[in-house]
Amino acid sequence: MDKVSINNPAIFFEEEDIPFEEDILRNPFSVKCWLRYIEHKKNSPIKLNLIYERALKELPGSYKLWYNYLKLRQKQVHGHLLTDPCFEEANNAFERSLAWMHKMPRIWLDYCQFLMSQGLVTLTRRMFDRALRALPITQHHRIWKPYLEFVRLHRDLPETAVRVYRRYLMLMPEDLVSIDRLDEATVRLAGIINNEKFVSKEGKSKHQLWNELCELISKNPDKIKSLKVEPIIRQGIKRYPDQTGQLWNSLAGYYTRSGQFEKARDIYEEAIQTVVTVRDFSQVFEAYSDFEEKLVQCFYKEGEMTDEDDLKFDFHITRYEHLMDRQALLLNSVLLRQNPHSVTEWLNRVALFEGKPREVINTFIEAVQSIDPKLAIGKLWTLWVAFAKFYENADQLEDARIVFEKATNVNFKHVDDLAYVWCEWAEMEIRHNCFDEAMKLIRRAVTPPKRKVDYHDNTEAVQMRVYKSLKVWSVYADLEESYGTFQSCKSVYDRIIDLGIATPQIVLNYAAFLEDHNYFEEAFKAYEKGIHLFKWPNVFDVWNTYLVKFVERYSGKKLERIRDLFEHCLKDCPPDFAKPIYLMYAKHEEEHGLPRAAMEIYKRATKAIRPDEAHEMYNIYIKRAAELFGITYTRDIYQEAIESLQDDHARQMCISFAEMERMLGEIDRARGIYVYCSQICDPRVTKNFWDTWLEFERKHGNEDTMREMMRIKRSVQALFNTQVNFMSAQMLSAQAAKQAHQDELEDKDEMKKLEERARELAAEAEQDAVKSSRAVSFVRSQNTDEELKDLTRTNNPEEINIGEDDDEDETVEEVNIEKRPVPVGVFHGLVGDEDD
């Protein structure tokens, strides 16, 4: 093709370049136009450089053009010798680009990498320095990384590397251990740790920097000369208590690596005696035991050992064993440093010194001096008692008494703690047959103070309030019963009651004591005092024992007084405790009073006790009435029970009632009871009732009564089905209504209201069922079979007409009815008795 020149005779281009030339003539400041032209000439490197030069002349501030041009230059020199002029031309291109792109770190990085590839050390270092001066500090981290790599490549220039790293540490002081100058590195790291304003670029905390410093100086003791290691680590121990164990191990490890084994052992011992957490103790003790074990291994030599070697080996073995034996005691010391007011840990420490009396005594003394009674965790009185018992077991009673005496002066947190001390002291005296001394101690404990003090006033000392402690008075009463006189013991019990600290058990004990001495009226007075002291249900045991004892003594004599006692007891008696009282009352009336009065008591009991116990009480009532007045007397009781009991119990009562009437030969009455009870018996649930009725009809009925029972069964089942369907329909209609008004009621809980409505409907249906069940009249014995049928037809309008003739006016006594077998289908598969 022909070559054409426009304006400049030195520039030649081909004919297909004309559209691109015209485009850049029209838009000389458009980067896109130049890039399209460059893309067109990408296969002509020489001309491509010329186009880039022309474009950069027009657009010297375009980063995109400079970046692509410099990449092209680097690509063009690939494979050439370093002495080739093209390298110099590429360097000149980078220099010219930096005149405009001096804020672009990518250009600086590419230029430095390009110079590093040429092996120009000085020029590369200067170029890195220029980049650091030109770029803002926020972008220096991008330059330092290749700069440090460049320094590491030239280890033959250590002074240059050190100077570069010193400059780098001004920006990144924590990046230390890259070159083998640890002494200076530790100095720098210590400096930045002490600088409160320092903020790590890598997000490291002061704690992490402390750990790095401690690890660095502990593992390189021979290279650290400028710092005092021990003060630094001790400062870290005070500053970071959560890393105490690790820092102690670092300090001991420093001396271990320095060969100062005795100093390391002293550090371990100091650490064990000062750490306050179990975790730190575990870390230090494990490191300490490993240290001793390695020393033992170092002094053990295979083969023959000299006497000196054996001595050293035995010495270190003994040290190691002594350390392991002290582990439990050292751990206990840590727990006590953690909480010196823990009574349990002090007792555990005493147990560790078992067999060492002097250490045990010192431990007890230290414990009682260290524990603040108001801050004690655990029962402080047990520590004092254990201290006294230690002397007691050693047959040193005087010392034990001294300990108890000091214990009584301790301002315990609770009155009961001091009371336990007095009681234990008295029991110790009793164990050694010092009964008079024990009595004196208890009298001293219960002596009231000179001024009146409220027992529950925590601002008063426990010594001022212990005179009202029931524990002390109970021990006092036991001592008086065992070793005192009747009057002294009685006065103790009276004093307990007067102080208002008696319990029902104290009252019972007092009454039993009086009865043992044949003071029965005094015992009954004690019961009366207890009854006035306590309310239900606490007074139940007092009343129960009182009534039993009184009835037992005056049975059949003071009948009116006994009745007054029972009435007084039952006046405020809650239903939960009424049953045994009523049974006792009724039994007494049966034995010594009027049987009809006993029946009246049983009747009252059925109303006064809990509803779930009424069924059992009715059974007792019926049984006693049958024994006293005959079985026919129980009919009214059965009727009352059926009307008052819940359906489940009423059903059982009906079955029992019907069985009784059957035994009496009252078949019609029994059948009437079954009819009455059927109204509360769903055939799907109460199968047992219907089976019982069926068995009854098989034995005592006929075809008509069997059909009547089946009709009633279907009627009752239909009734229960109707109730269920009614409830379901109501629930569905309510749900549909709520769904229609959902927009208006969207803030309300639909399911909750639906469930409430369902519960209301169920309650209504249950009430209807009860009403319908109670509507059936009770069948008396004078009702004839025909009247019973009429009544059944009246109350069951759905009766199936089976075509029976009306023959009420006919007399059937003298008519001989021909006996014919009943078809099996009538009984629906049930085999009947031929005699029926």
Side-chain angles (χ1 to χ4, degrees):
M1 292 186 180
D2 298 335
K3 295 182 180 181
V4 183
S5 174
I6 299 178
N7 298 331
N8 190 350
I11 300 177
F12 296 93
F13 51 88
E14 298 176 354
E15 187 174 352
E16 59 268 20
D17 299 339
I18 293 176
F20 295 99
E21 289 289 344
E22 292 176 350
D23 191 16
I24 61 177
L25 286 175
R26 287 192 296 270
N27 302 294
F29 303 110
S30 174
V31 177
K32 293 183 179 180
C33 296
W34 286 107
L35 290 177
R36 284 197 294 268
Y37 196 7
I38 291 169
E39 180 65 22
H40 172 67
K41 304 296 289 183
K42 63 181 178 180
N43 295 325
S44 301
I46 299 177
K47 294 183 179 179
L48 192 59
N49 291 346
L50 183 60
I51 296 174
Y52 267 117
E53 293 289 348
R54 291 172 57 197
L56 291 170
K57 184 178 180 181
E58 299 292 339
L59 297 168
S62 174
Y63 172 78
K64 196 170 188 177
L65 290 175
W66 276 115
Y67 181 76
N68 292 335
Y69 183 35
L70 296 175
K71 284 293 182 184
L72 177 65
R73 282 289 189 178
Q74 294 179 66
K75 186 178 179 179
Q76 289 173 352
V77 302
H78 184 69
H80 290 72
L81 295 175
L82 294 176
T83 57
D84 196 291
C86 62
F87 279 96
E88 188 65 28
E89 294 176 0
N91 292 339
N92 291 334
F94 271 108
E95 290 290 345
R96 287 187 289 115
S97 69
L98 291 175
W100 300 93
M101 301 287 109
H102 57 279
K103 296 298 182 183
M104 300 297 175
R106 184 72 264 167
I107 303 297
W108 286 106
L109 290 173
D110 288 346
Y111 190 16
C112 292
Q113 293 288 346
F114 186 57
L115 293 176
M116 288 171 62
S117 64
Q118 299 177 49
L120 304 175
V121 178
T122 303
L123 186 58
T124 303
R125 178 180 59 78
R126 291 176 178 174
M127 195 54 59
F128 275 117
D129 293 340
R130 286 175 58 193
L132 292 173
R133 289 194 295 270
L135 293 173
I137 193 171
T138 55
Q139 296 181 346
H140 281 195
H141 64 280
R142 301 182 61 180
I143 304 298
W144 276 113
K145 185 175 181 180
Y147 197 179
L148 297 178
E149 291 177 357
F150 163 72
V151 171
R152 294 191 197 102
L153 291 175
H154 301 280
R155 294 185 177 273
D156 53 337
L157 301 173
E159 189 61 31
T160 301
V162 169
R163 291 176 180 272
V164 170
Y165 266 97
R166 284 176 180 170
R167 291 172 55 200
Y168 171 65
L169 292 177
M170 296 174 66
L171 180 66
M172 299 284 189
E174 64 268 27
D175 192 1
L176 301 171
V177 197
S178 306
I179 56 176
D180 196 18
R181 295 209 175 191
L182 298 180
D183 187 54
E184 185 175 356
T186 54
V187 173
R188 292 280 182 176
L189 189 56
I192 64 174
I193 290 175
N194 292 327
N195 185 6
E196 296 295 335
K197 297 181 179 180
F198 171 77
V199 179
S200 173
K201 300 296 181 181
E202 297 182 3
K204 293 182 180 179
S205 64
K206 289 293 182 66
H207 176 264
Q208 291 174 311
L209 296 176
W210 262 107
N211 287 336
E212 289 182 7
L213 177 61
C214 294
E215 183 179 3
L216 191 63
I217 60 181
S218 62
K219 291 184 177 180
N220 302 278
D222 55 333
K223 297 180 180 179
I224 309 301
K225 306 297 182 183
S226 302
L227 294 178
K228 294 182 180 180
V229 177
E230 185 170 349
I232 292 175
I233 297 182
R234 287 185 180 276
Q235 184 182 1
I237 292 171
K238 294 179 181 179
R239 193 169 183 178
Y240 302 104
D242 58 328
Q243 294 294 320
T244 302
Q246 183 178 349
L247 293 174
W248 277 116
N249 289 340
S250 298
L251 182 56
Y254 169 79
Y255 286 113
T256 302
R257 293 182 181 90
S258 300
Q260 303 179 39
F261 300 128
E262 292 300 326
K263 183 66 176 176
R265 185 177 289 106
D266 293 341
I267 294 297
Y268 279 124
E269 287 291 340
E270 183 183 356
I272 286 177
Q273 298 297 330
T274 55
V275 293
V276 293
T277 64
V278 176
R279 188 193 66 173
D280 293 335
F281 172 79
S282 301
Q283 293 177 349
V284 174
F285 187 83
E286 184 178 357
Y288 191 8
S289 59
D290 290 343
F291 167 76
E292 292 291 355
E293 185 177 1
K294 289 177 181 178
L295 282 181
V296 171
Q297 294 174 358
C298 290
F299 284 97
Y300 175 75
K301 298 179 181 178
E302 296 183 358
E304 296 183 359
M305 297 176 61
T306 62
D307 294 341
E308 184 179 356
D309 293 338
D310 287 338
L311 185 61
K312 290 182 178 180
F313 179 74
D314 293 341
F315 177 70
H316 286 286
I317 279 287
T318 305
R319 267 187 169 177
Y320 179 69
E321 291 176 351
H322 178 62
L323 174 64
M324 300 309 293
D325 292 340
R326 290 190 302 148
Q327 182 178 5
L329 188 60
L330 292 172
L331 179 59
N332 180 262
S333 300
V334 172
L335 295 174
L336 288 176
R337 284 195 295 273
Q338 196 174 47
N339 183 11
H341 306 291
S342 176
V343 176
T344 304
E345 293 303 329
W346 280 111
L347 292 175
N348 292 338
R349 189 175 186 84
V350 170
L352 292 174
F353 286 118
E354 186 178 1
K356 300 177 181 179
R358 187 175 298 278
E359 285 80 358
V360 170
I361 294 173
N362 293 334
T363 302
F364 273 123
I365 294 173
E366 185 182 359
V368 297
Q369 291 176 350
S370 301
I371 297 177
D372 184 351
K374 298 298 183 182
L375 302 177
I377 298 176
K379 299 176 180 178
L380 180 58
W381 65 270
T382 58
L383 184 64
W384 284 99
V385 171
F387 194 7
K389 284 186 177 181
F390 173 76
Y391 282 117
E392 180 188 359
N393 296 332
D395 296 329
Q396 300 178 12
L397 288 182
E398 291 301 324
D399 293 332
R401 291 188 179 105
I402 292 172
V403 172
F404 273 122
E405 185 66 37
K406 291 183 177 180
T408 57
N409 295 322
V410 175
N411 189 17
F412 291 100
K413 188 187 301 184
H414 305 291
V415 177
D416 286 346
D417 296 341
L418 181 57
Y420 277 118
V421 172
W422 282 109
C423 295
E424 290 290 340
W425 192 357
E427 289 178 4
M428 185 194 75
E429 298 294 348
I430 294 172
R431 284 195 296 269
H432 292 83
N433 300 323
C434 300
F435 305 115
D436 294 337
E437 189 67 27
M439 295 285 282
K440 291 179 182 178
L441 287 175
I442 294 300
R443 291 193 187 102
R444 176 183 162 193
V446 298
T447 302
K450 295 181 180 180
R451 57 186 178 87
K452 188 177 180 180
V453 178
D454 185 7
Y455 179 79
H456 300 286
D457 187 3
N458 293 327
T459 59
E460 294 288 348
V462 292
Q463 285 77 10
M464 301 287 289
R465 297 180 284 154
V466 73
Y467 78 99
K468 278 192 174 183
S469 173
L470 182 59
K471 291 183 177 62
V472 180
W473 279 104
S474 299
V475 173
Y476 191 12
D478 293 341
L479 286 173
E480 289 291 351
E481 281 192 45
S482 301
Y483 309 109
T485 63
F486 172 77
Q487 290 298 330
S488 62
C489 184
K490 183 176 180 296
S491 63
V492 169
Y493 276 115
D494 290 336
R495 180 60 177 161
I496 294 174
I497 295 175
D498 293 340
L499 288 174
I501 59 175
T503 62
Q505 188 60 49
I506 291 291
V507 174
L508 296 177
N509 293 343
Y510 184 21
F513 167 76
L514 294 172
E515 289 175 7
D516 291 341
H517 291 79
N518 297 324
Y519 287 86
F520 297 102
E521 286 299 328
E522 292 292 334
F524 297 147
K525 290 181 181 179
Y527 285 123
E528 291 288 346
K529 290 181 181 180
I531 290 169
H532 286 88
L533 279 176
F534 309 110
K535 296 182 179 179
W536 290 94
N538 298 324
V539 77
F540 171 74
D541 291 329
V542 179
W543 265 119
N544 193 28
T545 308
Y546 183 21
L547 293 172
V548 170
K549 295 293 184 180
F550 198 90
V551 171
E552 182 180 343
R553 178 160 180 80
Y554 296 110
S555 178
K557 297 179 181 179
K558 298 184 178 181
L559 188 59
E560 291 301 324
R561 184 177 174 184
I562 293 176
R563 286 173 178 169
D564 290 341
L565 285 178
F566 275 111
E567 293 297 336
H568 184 199
C569 176
L570 294 172
K571 181 179 179 181
D572 299 321
C573 182
D576 293 342
F577 301 93
K579 181 181 175 182
I581 306 297
Y582 274 108
L583 291 177
M584 191 189 309
Y585 191 8
K587 183 179 179 182
H588 177 265
E589 286 292 341
E590 289 179 19
E591 294 177 353
H592 306 287
L594 301 175
R596 291 192 177 278
M599 294 299 103
E600 187 64 26
I601 293 170
Y602 281 122
K603 184 176 181 180
R604 287 171 55 192
T606 58
K607 309 298 182 183
I609 64 176
R610 293 203 313 262
D612 58 331
E613 294 179 343
H615 179 248
E616 185 178 354
M617 181 58 72
Y618 269 114
N619 288 332
I620 298 173
Y621 185 13
I622 292 169
K623 181 179 178 181
R624 300 307 303 158
E627 292 179 0
L628 294 174
F629 296 98
I631 195 169
T632 57
Y633 185 84
T634 61
R635 284 174 174 162
D636 292 338
I637 303 175
Y638 271 117
Q639 184 174 355
E640 181 183 349
I642 293 170
E643 292 175 353
S644 61
L645 291 175
Q646 297 178 355
D647 287 350
D648 292 339
H649 293 154
R651 189 179 302 115
Q652 296 296 328
M653 197 63 69
C654 286
I655 294 174
S656 300
F657 191 12
E659 181 64 19
M660 185 202 74
E661 295 291 357
R662 187 191 68 79
M663 292 174 61
L664 294 175
E666 298 287 347
I667 305 302
D668 291 341
R669 290 178 61 87
R671 185 176 290 111
I673 295 169
Y674 281 121
V675 172
Y676 174 80
C677 184
S678 65
Q679 304 303 313
I680 60 174
C681 299
D682 187 353
R684 296 167 299 182
V685 179
T686 58
K687 187 175 182 299
N688 182 45
F689 167 79
W690 294 99
D691 291 343
T692 304
W693 191 4
L694 179 62
E695 185 66 23
F696 170 81
E697 294 295 347
R698 287 176 59 191
K699 292 181 179 179
H700 306 287
N702 54 30
E703 179 181 357
D704 294 338
T705 58
M706 184 68 71
R707 288 188 178 185
E708 182 66 17
M709 187 204 75
M710 300 303 294
R711 186 193 64 78
I712 292 174
K713 183 176 181 180
R714 290 192 297 271
S715 177
V716 171
Q717 185 168 354
L719 175 63
F720 279 97
N721 289 339
T722 302
Q723 291 175 355
V724 173
N725 293 335
F726 175 73
M727 290 171 57
S728 302
Q730 290 293 328
M731 291 172 63
L732 292 175
S733 62
Q735 185 177 5
K738 291 177 181 178
Q739 186 68 25
H741 298 85
Q742 185 176 3
D743 295 337
E744 298 176 1
L745 307 176
E746 59 183 2
D747 296 334
K748 299 180 180 179
D749 191 346
E750 300 293 341
M751 288 302 298
K752 184 175 180 181
K753 290 190 174 183
L754 185 61
E755 290 172 358
E756 291 177 356
R757 180 56 180 165
R759 283 195 293 269
E760 292 175 2
L761 294 174
E764 293 175 2
E766 187 175 356
Q767 292 175 1
D768 294 339
V770 173
K771 290 178 181 179
S772 62
S773 65
R774 296 297 183 254
V776 180
S777 300
F778 191 84
V779 182
R780 296 289 180 180
S781 60
Q782 63 266 20
N783 287 64
T784 63
D785 185 54
E786 288 76 14
E787 290 174 346
L788 179 61
K789 290 181 179 179
D790 291 341
L791 182 61
T792 306
R793 292 193 189 98
T794 302
N795 291 315
N796 296 280
E798 297 179 3
E799 180 183 3
I800 301 174
N801 187 5
I802 59 176
E804 292 184 354
D805 296 332
D806 297 330
D807 54 355
E808 292 83 355
D809 298 332
E810 297 178 8
T811 59
V812 296
E813 286 84 357
E814 299 179 358
V815 177
N816 294 325
I817 301 174
E818 184 179 358
K819 202 173 185 181
R820 301 180 64 183
V822 180
V824 178
V826 174
F827 296 96
H828 298 282
L830 299 173
V831 179
D833 196 346
E834 257 187 30
D835 295 336
D836 289 344

